[in-house]
């Protein structure tokens, strides 16, 4: 913690969890999509579903999907801006039984046809936790550069990836493995300190048993 | 290096070096964050600028929140303050600033969470009033935010600054305690006097519940920013007069944590108790979100 965690952040009100955190959830979904979004379907659960109108949670998520930060004064007009910029959006209120009270599920389609579905929650003070990407369980905050490594659950795969990162001088701050079933598809969520060079991502992609590698830069 | 684990540590280190708390905090954060003091000062100056803008924007009589429940009261208060009122124009103008920033927050304006969005009106109201009335210079006010931040870091580490954990005492109570400490420093008081002011502000808001109507950061949050501001001034005034808190600040913070943990869930930001479930509170909720 530092002094700017207390005197700060600078943000658009009214709520750090329901507004500032919501912007970041939209923004992380946009980062994962990797291109301009033209269609967004947003499902709100729990307290998000109950109070989104008063907190401007809808505007905040749309602003994030358009790439805005949580202190952007255009957030207030995000819905109008989205229509002007060709982003077709819809909101649906759902109840996800075991989810955090402030959960959103965002499905995006990009201008070149990319698609993604991201589920995450706003955990207070503007901080978020991304819980699911395209059906795979993950867990990261978006505060650090994060590598998502989709792979086949085979012996030595994790060692190969982390060894390669070690040779590149990249320090791992957080590591999480999610494996829906033994021997099937699995995902490593790796939060790192510092910048991830492009050659590293390309090199990781050609390692045995690797399906795909996505870098989500710190939001 | 400072641990920010006790108010006592801040006072001791400041006294050892014969410096203000804000000065030792700026030096320490410069080392811990690996940035120059000037860079950190500039960053704090940016926050101060946003606070001033929020005060000005919030004064607009036509300002309304996204829900439509609040707005326009800062303008009324500012007009009334010109008459001097009961407490004089200084305090009434400070009150109008606390309302202005809080109403601007509710209207999706840009604010500095200090320490939270719900309590964002208290620090600006206190320090900008000091600058406007010529009681301190702008750069002193910016520096004093490092003192406020340090007190807030201790509270966050030892108790909480989240309404969902500790009730409103953790949000407006913390903001008020932070403001009281930095007001003392701005008025030329000692580090110990800052600590006493912090202690007295906490004592005066101990047990304050978080019961927002319709779950929104509006009712009663905006007006609690006012009481937080007034308590910050009264606590600073007592400390500067030489009055001491019989219970030390660090123990008041411990009490705040214990009281927060004892609050039922219904009074910690869930809108299931207090003002939120009064007949009018429920009516207002239905007005915004429709009847269930």
């Amino acid at each position: 913690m530092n002094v700017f965690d207390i005197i700060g952040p600078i943000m658009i009100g009214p709520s750090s969890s329901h507004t500032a955190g919501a912007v970041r959830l939209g923004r992380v979904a946009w980062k994962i999509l990797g291109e301009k979004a033209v269609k967004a379907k947003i499902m709100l659960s729990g307290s998000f579903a109950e109070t989104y109108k008063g907190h401007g949670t809808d505007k905040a998520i749309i602003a994030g999907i358009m790439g805005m930060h949580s202190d952007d004064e255009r957030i207030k007009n995000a819905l109008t801006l989205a229509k002007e910029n060709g982003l077709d959006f819809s909101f649906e209120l759902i109840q996800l039984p075991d989810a955090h009270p402030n959960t959103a599920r965002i499905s995006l389609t990009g201008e070149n046809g990319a698609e993604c579905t991201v589920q995450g929650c706003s955990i207070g003070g503007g901080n978020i936790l991304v819980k699911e990407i395209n059906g795979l369980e993950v867990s990261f905050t978006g505060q650090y550069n994060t590598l998502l490594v989709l792979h086949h659950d085979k012996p030595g795969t994790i060692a190969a990836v982390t060894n390669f990162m070690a040779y590149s001088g990249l320090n791992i701050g957080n590591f999480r493995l999610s494996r829906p079933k033994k021997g099937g598809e699995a995902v490593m969520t790796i939060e790192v300190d510092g910048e991830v060079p492009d050659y590293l991502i390309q090199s990781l992609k050609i390692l045995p048993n690797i399906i795909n590698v996505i870098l989500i830069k710190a939001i | 290096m400072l641990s920010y684990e006790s108010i006592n540590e801040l006072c001791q280190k400041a006294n050892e070096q014969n410096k203000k708390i804000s000065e030792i905090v700026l030096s320490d954060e410069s080392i811990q964050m690996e940035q120059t003091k000037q860079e950190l000062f500039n960053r704090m100056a940016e926050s101060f600028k946003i606070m001033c803008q929020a005060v000005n924007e919030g004064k607009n009589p036509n300002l309304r929140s996204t829900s439509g429940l609040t707005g326009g009261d800062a303008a009324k208060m500012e007009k009334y303050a010109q008459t001097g009122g009961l407490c004089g124009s200084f305090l009434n103008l400070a009150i109008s600033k606390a309302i202005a920033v809080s109403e601007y927050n509710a209207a999706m304006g840009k604010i500095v969470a200090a320490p939270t969005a719900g309590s964002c009106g208290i620090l600006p109201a206190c320090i900008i009033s000091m600058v406007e009335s010529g009681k301190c210079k702008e750069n002193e006010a910016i520096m004093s935010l490092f003192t406020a931040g340090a007190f807030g870091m201790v509270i966050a580490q030892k108790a909480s600054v989240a309404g969902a954990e500790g009730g409103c005492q953790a949000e407006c109570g913390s903001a008020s305690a932070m403001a009281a400490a930095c007001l003392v420093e701005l008025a030329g008081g000692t580090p110990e006097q800052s600590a006493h002011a912090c202690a007295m502000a906490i004592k005066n808001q101990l047990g304050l519940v978080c019961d927002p109507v319709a779950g929104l950061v509006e009712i009663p949050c905006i007006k609690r920013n006012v009481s937080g501001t007034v308590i910050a001034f009264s606590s600073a005034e007592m400390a500067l007069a030489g009055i001491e808190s019989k219970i030390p600040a660090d123990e008041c913070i411990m009490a705040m944590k214990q009281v927060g943990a004892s609050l039922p869930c219904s009074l910690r930001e869930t809108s299931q108790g207090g003002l939120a479930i009064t007949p009018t509170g429920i009516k207002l909720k239905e007005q915004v979100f429709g009847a269930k």
Side-chain angles (χ1 to χ4, degrees), chain A residues 1-19 50-57 59-60 71-73 75-76, chain B residues 29 33 40 43-44 47 50 66 104-115 117 123 145 149 152-153 156-157 178 214-217 289:
Chain A
M1 192 195 324
N2 67 56
V3 70
F4 296 101
D5 293 322
I6 298 293
I7 311 295
I10 294 172
M11 56 169 271
I12 301 298
S15 161
S16 55
S17 55
H18 288 65
T19 320
E50 281 163 32
T51 66
Y52 77 98
K53 277 186 201 162
H55 284 123
T57 309
K59 296 171 184 172
D71 65 346
D72 196 313
E73 286 180 282
I75 292 171
K76 210 173 164 176
Chain B
E29 289 286 88
M33 294 175 69
L40 296 186
R43 192 168 160 192
M44 199 59 96
S47 293
I50 303 291
T66 313
Y104 191 53
N105 177 57
M108 295 193 82
K110 193 195 277 193
I111 54 93
V112 183
L123 266 170
L145 287 171
M153 282 159 81
Q157 292 207 71
M178 289 155 57
L216 300 175
V217 192
F289 299 121

Side-chain angles (χ1 to χ4, degrees), chain B residues 98 102 118-122 172 220-230:
Chain B
S102 302
S119 59
C120 67
I122 295 169
C172 286
C221 320
I222 294 170
K223 293 182 181 98
R224 284 192 186 147
N225 272 261
V226 172
S227 51
T229 301
V230 176

Side-chain angles (χ1 to χ4, degrees), chain A:
Chain A
M1 192 195 324
N2 67 56
V3 70
F4 296 101
D5 293 322
I6 298 293
I7 311 295
I10 294 172
M11 56 169 271
I12 301 298
S15 161
S16 55
S17 55
H18 288 65
T19 320
V23 175
R24 303 189 82 213
L25 281 172
R27 199 175 148 77
V28 84
W30 168 67
K31 287 259 183 178
I32 290 164
L33 183 71
E35 61 186 45
K36 187 187 164 192
V38 291
K39 196 172 169 204
K41 187 180 164 199
I42 297 137
M43 282 161 276
L44 302 172
S45 172
S47 167
F48 265 14
E50 281 163 32
T51 66
Y52 77 98
K53 277 186 201 162
H55 284 123
T57 309
D58 48 350
K59 296 171 184 172
I61 291 177
I62 293 292
I65 293 170
M66 290 194 287
M68 293 182 206
H69 286 280
S70 47
D71 65 346
D72 196 313
E73 286 180 282
R74 295 171 301 167
I75 292 171
K76 210 173 164 176
N77 306 316
L79 300 186
T80 317
L81 283 169
K83 283 174 190 152
E84 286 170 12
N85 286 304
L87 170 61
D88 177 31
F89 60 84
S90 64
F91 284 89
E92 195 185 316
L93 307 183
I94 53 167
Q95 282 312 328
L96 295 166
D98 296 322
H100 184 279
N102 300 331
T103 292
R105 196 174 167 84
I106 304 169
S107 295
L108 298 180
T109 308
E111 57 181 350
N112 298 317
E115 286 189 342
C116 74
T117 297
V118 178
Q119 184 174 314
C121 51
S122 179
I123 55 173
N127 299 310
I128 61 164
L129 202 58
V130 181
K131 302 287 283 182
E132 195 185 308
I133 297 174
N134 299 336
L136 282 167
E137 197 187 315
V138 295
S139 181
F140 65 94
T141 62
Q143 281 172 315
Y144 304 94
N145 287 328
T146 305
L147 277 170
L148 299 173
V149 184
L150 192 64
H151 63 284
H152 297 291
D153 179 29
K154 295 267 171 64
T157 313
I158 294 171
V161 168
T162 52
N163 271 335
F164 213 95
M165 292 176 70
Y167 294 139
S168 308
L170 211 57
N171 188 42
I172 296 175
N174 241 318
F175 184 98
R176 189 173 190 277
L177 179 72
S178 153
R179 181 180 74 162
K181 74 172 203 289
K182 201 173 168 183
E185 280 187 13
V187 65
M188 299 175 220
T189 308
I190 311 172
E191 292 181 318
V192 299
D193 298 328
E195 289 299 316
V196 181
D198 197 46
Y199 76 83
L200 176 75
I201 298 164
Q202 301 312 326
S203 313
L204 290 178
K205 278 184 182 174
I206 53 173
L207 288 174
N209 300 319
I210 301 297
I211 301 165
N212 197 12
V213 181
I214 305 170
L215 170 68
I216 297 151
K217 290 202 169 180
I219 55 167

Side-chain angles (χ1 to χ4, degrees), chain B residues 51 54-60 63 72-82 88-104 121-122 124-126 128-129 132 222-223 225-227 229-230 233:
Chain B
M51 288 177 175
V55 166
N56 284 328
E57 296 289 337
K59 285 178 187 171
N60 182 343
L63 187 76
D73 284 348
K76 280 184 203 161
M77 194 66 212
E78 194 190 26
K79 193 171 168 212
Y80 170 77
Q82 310 304 329
S89 63
F90 177 82
L91 194 61
N92 282 315
L93 282 172
I95 291 170
S96 77
K97 289 179 177 62
I99 302 175
V101 179
S102 302
E103 286 188 334
Y104 191 53
I122 295 169
C126 290
I128 295 169
S129 296
E132 268 188 15
I222 294 170
K223 293 182 181 98
N225 272 261
V226 172
S227 51
T229 301
V230 176
F233 276 112

